Amino acid sequence: MKDRVTAAETANRGKRLYDPVETRRRILDTAAGAFQARGYHATGMHEIMRDGRVTGGALYHHFPTKKALGLAVIRERVAPAVEETWIVPVRSAATAQAGILAVFEQIAADLERRGAVMGCPLNNLAHELSLADSDFRAAMDAIFTAWRDAIAERLRSEPVAAGSGDRDADALATFVVASYSGAMALAKTGQDAGRLRASARQLARLLPGPD
Amino acid sequence: MKDRVTAAETANRGKRLYDPVETRRRILDTAAGAFQARGYHATGMHEIMRDGRVTGGALYHHFPTKKALGLAVIRERVAPAVEETWIVPVRSAATAQAGILAVFEQIAADLERRGAVMGCPLNNLAHELSLADSDFRAAMDAIFTAWRDAIAERLRSEPVAAGSGDRDADALATFVVASYSGAMALAKTGQDAGRLRASARQLARLLPGPD
Amino acid sequence: MKDRVTAAETANRGKRLYDPVETRRRILDTAAGAFQARGYHATGMHEIMRDGRVTGGALYHHFPTKKALGLAVIRERVAPAVEETWIVPVRSAATAQAGILAVFEQIAADLERRGAVMGCPLNNLAHELSLADSDFRAAMDAIFTAWRDAIAERLRSEPVAAGSGDRDADALATFVVASYSGAMALAKTGQDAGRLRASARQLARLLPGPD
Amino acid sequence: MKDRVTAAETANRGKRLYDPVETRRRILDTAAGAFQARGYHATGMHEIMRDGRVTGGALYHHFPTKKALGLAVIRERVAPAVEETWIVPVRSAATAQAGILAVFEQIAADLERRGAVMGCPLNNLAHELSLADSDFRAAMDAIFTAWRDAIAERLRSEPVAAGSGDRDADALATFVVASYSGAMALAKTGQDAGRLRASARQLARLLPGPD
DNA sequence: ACAGGCGGGACTTCCCGTTTAT
DNA sequence: ATAAACGGGAAGTCCCGCCTGT
């Protein structure tokens, strides 16, 4: 007669956890942090194993290649981050102008509180990877597009004055994303959140609103 | 005890160029191209040797580490490129607005002619390296600053209407650099120069001029 | 982006040994032999891979740096060798004098049988490494100390005549180790085991015993 | 008509010294120091160039290979050092015993004053190189032999008691050299000059003299 | 005599991916 | 699912020696 608890006992042999969801989460979090801090190529799989307390077997089980891990980070960590910090706030703001400026301000405040400017995760990876690999490029372009579309949609919902059609909303939304991305690049290279605020003030003049 | 170098058998006679200036130039050009196309970490020193037709000895003689080569590329290739494509045209343009928009337009046209968007060399390297190494960061921040200052100076020379003091010129110049940098990031990730043009149109509305 | 490892094509099936203990043993044996024969710095990691039939991956897995390998060789090969050739024989000998001279004699006989004098592994590495690296120095000093202490302990157990206290035993034991080490250096440089025997004869006059 | 001072003027162009004797001396001194401190294989030619302020051309001019430099260091720096610290003092001492013990004592005092034990230059190089290369081995064996012979000669000049013939003097001299070499190895590995003194006290009991 | 650019390869380290074993 | 040994090769660095030019 088989002992019914054998499996469970075996599972806890040594220090194995056998919690695939948690393991996968830890790998993604560790990788996302490392890719953001050091970049994709400068991060070795071994570092992720060490920092995330996972062994090669576990890592390979969840992500067969580094590229697969990179794509998962983009889709499951970077995209939600953009959604959370940009799309949701802009959608729920009173006006597009108010929402956009509030995001700039909140991010600038975050940077100052943290004392260091890590840059935008999407842009960091986009610059490093989008030329070299088209799968990465496509994944990141999808995020940029969703980001821009969310802003454009919010802009279109405004009761605006004359002559601002759909094309204007798209172009303006693109410009908002571009301004933010570039301002973040400047802030990161200068380690100075002030550049983000200076850019926000200029952008404000362009956005429809009470000025 | 082994004598590893056994004389080279007098082979390869006369193959030496003995032109250090040319050798150094070729290394820098090759490295600048490779860093731009594939990124710093994704480029191997051996690739640079092969593509630039230099041996390890020559490369090591001129640049003892990859970092030294990277810094030289930034200072001797990236900085002059920014000078040439941005600073000189903006300085010599009739108005700041005209100069800035002309640069956007020319770069967009270049991209379309080339059929691919490689991105801005400075921003590409800035995103990959500025967090990881402060020497790189400082070298690139100096270029960003010079770039912004040149635009700010041009803006201040305009006979403008009310309320645009020095601080406004600096902030606006920062914003110009940020918009361009971010628009280029979007264009690169989407492989679409249109995003650069769309951003230029929006920026135009902010710049002093005949509108 | 290049995927460097393209699958190994399922070739070399079944070639893996998967015997970490045996692999580690082979690495240490090969390294110990090479360090002894050619010295630490003159031995390349690739030589160890080739001679020990281990791949880079396996070597790196067991010993992440050459220094780690060197320390392991000292602790797991050199120390046991001293234990076996000196400490055990001296401890089990009838008298200290008899034990010490027997060791000298046996080693001299070994050298003559082998036809070459390789020197004492501990002294060889000690001279090459103890100045440059304090971890190596400490590891080797521990062996020298254990060696001396074992001889001193044996000396103290003798029913000696007048005035030989603990300090004398320690000093004499130190001198035994020094004489052997130096005699081995002379024998190695002269490739002449006779120098070892000549030194043993002189040392004998100093040791308590029937003379 | 040729200008007579042209050569001298040309000679001082830039910072060239054109003092071959001084250049050669500086190379040898630098190399001797580096070989002593780090070992032969661990010292690169480039280090010698940097530390000795000589260029590759000058170094290669005086010593076509590293091995030639190593042999020159042995013959022109190590051998004179042994002559100076051992042979001359032993020859000029009142008795062999007095001379030998004085050398031990002076060297121990030197080590303590310096605060670090660098070891015996001859033994350091002998252990690293004598197995690998027979030219080095022969050069160093010649120094060991001269050293021993000088001591043996001094011992033979003593009006000794019974039964100490030539062979005894040679064997005892060999033992003196061995004791010193080994004691120095112990002192170096333990960074403790006391081991040298302890060995000297034991050796004293063996040397003919007032005891 | 000396300066230094250069050739070509070996060095240690570390990479990513795979396989065996639990 | 997880752990860890392992394969095979590429990474950046640095080596010694040579060679041209002053």
Side-chain angles (χ1 to χ4, degrees):
Chain A
M1 194 176 81
K2 283 189 293 187
D3 190 340
R4 287 174 303 172
V5 289
T6 299
E9 276 173 354
T10 306
N12 283 332
R13 281 272 180 74
K15 34 180 182 171
R16 282 161 124 111
L17 290 179
Y18 281 104
D19 184 345
V21 173
E22 159 66 10
T23 299
R24 193 187 142 92
R25 185 198 63 72
R26 212 164 56 242
I27 295 171
L28 282 172
D29 285 349
T30 307
F35 290 167
Q36 163 81 340
R38 291 185 291 275
Y40 177 83
H41 284 109
T43 300
M45 296 297 268
H46 187 76
E47 284 178 76
I48 295 170
M49 295 176 207
R50 189 187 348 104
D51 297 351
R53 264 90 43 87
V54 283
T55 60
L59 208 170
Y60 180 71
H61 176 75
H62 290 284
F63 305 100
T65 64
K66 189 182 185 182
K67 180 173 170 175
L69 174 58
L71 286 170
V73 165
I74 290 170
R75 288 198 265 254
E76 299 176 41
R77 288 295 180 275
V78 174
V82 170
E83 176 88 17
E84 202 182 317
T85 50
W86 266 97
I87 297 179
V88 169
V90 163
R91 267 197 194 123
S92 60
T95 67
Q97 192 203 39
I100 290 165
L101 295 180
V103 172
F104 267 84
E105 175 51 34
Q106 201 211 304
I107 289 173
D110 276 2
L111 298 180
E112 274 158 0
R113 197 179 328 115
R114 212 168 315 178
V117 182
M118 303 288 287
C120 166
L122 179 55
N123 277 284
N124 288 349
L125 288 176
H127 274 95
E128 187 180 355
L129 301 175
S130 64
L131 267 184
D133 186 287
S134 69
D135 293 327
F136 278 117
R137 198 186 62 70
M140 293 187 291
D141 195 38
I143 303 178
F144 271 125
T145 301
W147 181 2
R148 187 204 56 191
D149 287 351
I151 293 174
E153 193 184 3
R154 190 70 190 77
L155 283 169
R156 270 188 227 103
S157 73
E158 310 265 297
V160 257
S164 54
D166 269 22
R167 289 196 45 234
D168 276 4
D170 269 351
L172 188 50
T174 296
F175 189 64
V176 170
V177 172
S179 309
Y180 171 77
S181 298
M184 205 60 167
L186 286 180
K188 180 179 157 192
T189 307
Q191 285 294 305
D192 170 18
R195 296 179 183 182
L196 199 61
R197 283 208 170 88
S199 295
R201 280 196 306 274
Q202 301 299 318
L203 183 61
R205 295 165 49 199
L206 221 59
L207 296 171
D211 203 45
Chain B
M1 209 158 36
K2 49 198 164 182
D3 287 318
R4 283 179 303 179
V5 179
T6 30
E9 303 309 322
T10 337
N12 290 354
R13 266 286 176 103
K15 264 202 169 183
R16 294 197 180 200
L17 293 181
Y18 224 82
D19 185 345
V21 173
E22 158 67 10
T23 300
R24 194 185 144 94
R25 186 198 62 71
R26 211 163 58 242
I27 295 171
L28 283 172
D29 284 349
T30 308
F35 290 167
Q36 162 80 341
R38 291 184 290 277
Y40 177 83
H41 285 109
T43 300
M45 295 297 270
H46 284 281
E47 278 179 82
I48 295 171
M49 294 178 209
R50 190 185 347 102
D51 297 351
R53 261 92 41 88
V54 279
T55 61
L59 180 50
Y60 180 66
H61 177 75
H62 289 282
F63 305 100
T65 64
K66 190 180 184 182
K67 178 174 170 175
L69 175 57
L71 285 171
V73 164
I74 290 170
R75 287 198 265 253
E76 299 175 39
R77 289 294 180 275
V78 174
V82 171
E83 175 89 17
E84 200 183 319
T85 51
W86 266 97
I87 297 180
V88 168
V90 163
R91 267 198 194 122
S92 59
T95 68
Q97 192 201 39
I100 292 164
L101 295 180
V103 172
F104 267 85
E105 175 50 33
Q106 201 211 304
I107 290 171
D110 276 1
L111 299 181
E112 274 157 358
R113 197 177 327 115
R114 214 168 315 179
V117 183
M118 304 288 286
C120 165
L122 179 56
N123 277 284
N124 288 351
L125 288 176
H127 274 94
E128 187 179 356
L129 300 175
S130 66
L131 264 184
D133 187 289
S134 71
D135 292 327
F136 279 120
R137 199 186 61 69
M140 293 188 290
D141 193 39
I143 303 178
F144 271 125
T145 301
W147 181 2
R148 186 205 56 191
D149 287 350
I151 294 174
E153 194 184 4
R154 191 70 191 76
L155 283 168
R156 271 189 226 103
S157 73
E158 310 267 295
V160 256
S164 52
D166 268 25
R167 288 196 44 235
D168 278 3
D170 269 349
L172 188 50
T174 296
F175 189 65
V176 170
V177 172
S179 312
Y180 171 77
S181 298
M184 207 59 169
L186 286 180
K188 180 179 158 191
T189 308
Q191 284 295 305
D192 170 17
R195 296 180 183 181
L196 197 62
R197 285 209 169 87
S199 294
R201 280 196 307 275
Q202 301 299 317
L203 183 61
R205 294 165 47 200
L206 222 57
L207 296 172
D211 203 45
Chain C
M1 209 159 34
K2 50 198 164 185
D3 287 319
R4 282 180 304 182
V5 179
T6 28
E9 303 309 320
T10 337
N12 290 354
R13 263 289 175 102
K15 265 202 167 180
R16 293 194 181 202
L17 294 180
Y18 223 84
D19 185 345
V21 173
E22 159 67 10
T23 299
R24 193 187 144 94
R25 185 198 63 71
R26 211 165 57 243
I27 294 171
L28 283 172
D29 284 349
T30 309
F35 290 166
Q36 163 80 341
R38 290 185 291 277
Y40 178 81
H41 284 110
T43 299
M45 295 297 270
H46 283 283
E47 278 179 80
I48 296 171
M49 294 178 207
R50 189 185 347 104
D51 297 351
R53 262 94 39 92
V54 280
T55 61
L59 179 52
Y60 181 66
H61 176 75
H62 289 283
F63 305 99
T65 64
K66 190 179 184 182
K67 177 174 172 176
L69 175 58
L71 286 171
V73 165
I74 289 170
R75 287 197 265 253
E76 300 175 40
R77 289 295 180 274
V78 174
V82 171
E83 176 89 18
E84 200 183 319
T85 49
W86 267 97
I87 297 179
V88 169
V90 163
R91 267 200 194 119
S92 60
T95 67
Q97 193 203 39
I100 290 165
L101 295 179
V103 173
F104 266 84
E105 176 50 34
Q106 201 211 305
I107 289 173
D110 275 2
L111 298 181
E112 275 157 358
R113 197 178 326 115
R114 214 167 313 178
V117 183
M118 302 289 284
C120 165
L122 179 56
N123 277 286
N124 288 350
L125 287 176
H127 274 94
E128 187 181 355
L129 300 175
S130 65
L131 266 185
D133 186 289
S134 71
D135 292 326
F136 279 120
R137 198 187 62 70
M140 293 187 290
D141 193 38
I143 303 177
F144 271 125
T145 302
W147 181 3
R148 186 205 57 190
D149 288 350
I151 294 174
E153 194 184 4
R154 190 70 190 78
L155 283 168
R156 270 188 226 104
S157 73
E158 310 267 295
V160 256
S164 54
D166 269 22
R167 288 196 45 235
D168 277 4
D170 270 348
L172 188 50
T174 296
F175 189 66
V176 171
V177 172
S179 311
Y180 171 76
S181 298
M184 207 57 169
L186 286 181
K188 181 179 157 191
T189 307
Q191 284 296 306
D192 170 16
R195 297 180 183 181
L196 197 61
R197 284 209 170 85
S199 295
R201 281 195 307 274
Q202 301 299 316
L203 183 60
R205 296 165 45 202
L206 222 57
L207 296 172
D211 202 44
Chain D
M1 195 175 83
K2 282 189 291 186
D3 191 340
R4 288 173 305 172
V5 288
T6 299
E9 276 173 355
T10 306
N12 282 331
R13 282 273 180 74
K15 34 181 184 171
R16 282 161 124 110
L17 291 180
Y18 281 103
D19 185 345
V21 174
E22 158 65 11
T23 298
R24 193 187 143 93
R25 186 197 62 72
R26 213 163 56 241
I27 294 171
L28 282 172
D29 285 348
T30 307
F35 290 166
Q36 163 82 340
R38 290 186 291 278
Y40 177 82
H41 284 109
T43 299
M45 295 298 267
H46 186 77
E47 283 179 78
I48 295 170
M49 294 178 209
R50 188 187 350 102
D51 297 351
R53 263 92 41 87
V54 283
T55 60
L59 208 170
Y60 180 71
H61 177 74
H62 289 284
F63 304 100
T65 65
K66 189 181 183 182
K67 179 172 170 177
L69 174 58
L71 286 170
V73 165
I74 290 170
R75 287 197 266 254
E76 299 176 39
R77 289 294 180 274
V78 175
V82 171
E83 176 88 18
E84 199 183 321
T85 50
W86 266 97
I87 297 180
V88 168
V90 163
R91 267 198 195 123
S92 60
T95 67
Q97 191 201 42
I100 290 165
L101 295 180
V103 173
F104 266 85
E105 175 52 33
Q106 200 211 304
I107 288 173
D110 275 2
L111 298 181
E112 275 158 358
R113 195 177 331 115
R114 212 168 318 179
V117 183
M118 301 289 286
C120 165
L122 178 56
N123 276 284
N124 289 349
L125 288 176
H127 273 95
E128 186 181 355
L129 300 175
S130 64
L131 267 184
D133 187 288
S134 70
D135 292 328
F136 279 118
R137 199 187 62 69
M140 292 186 291
D141 194 38
I143 303 178
F144 271 125
T145 302
W147 181 2
R148 186 203 57 192
D149 288 350
I151 294 173
E153 193 185 5
R154 189 72 190 75
L155 283 168
R156 271 188 225 103
S157 73
E158 309 267 296
V160 258
S164 53
D166 269 21
R167 287 196 43 238
D168 278 3
D170 269 350
L172 188 50
T174 296
F175 189 64
V176 170
V177 172
S179 312
Y180 171 77
S181 297
M184 205 59 168
L186 285 180
K188 179 179 157 192
T189 307
Q191 284 296 304
D192 170 18
R195 297 180 182 180
L196 198 62
R197 284 209 170 86
S199 294
R201 280 196 306 273
Q202 301 299 316
L203 183 60
R205 295 165 47 201
L206 221 59
L207 296 172
D211 205 42

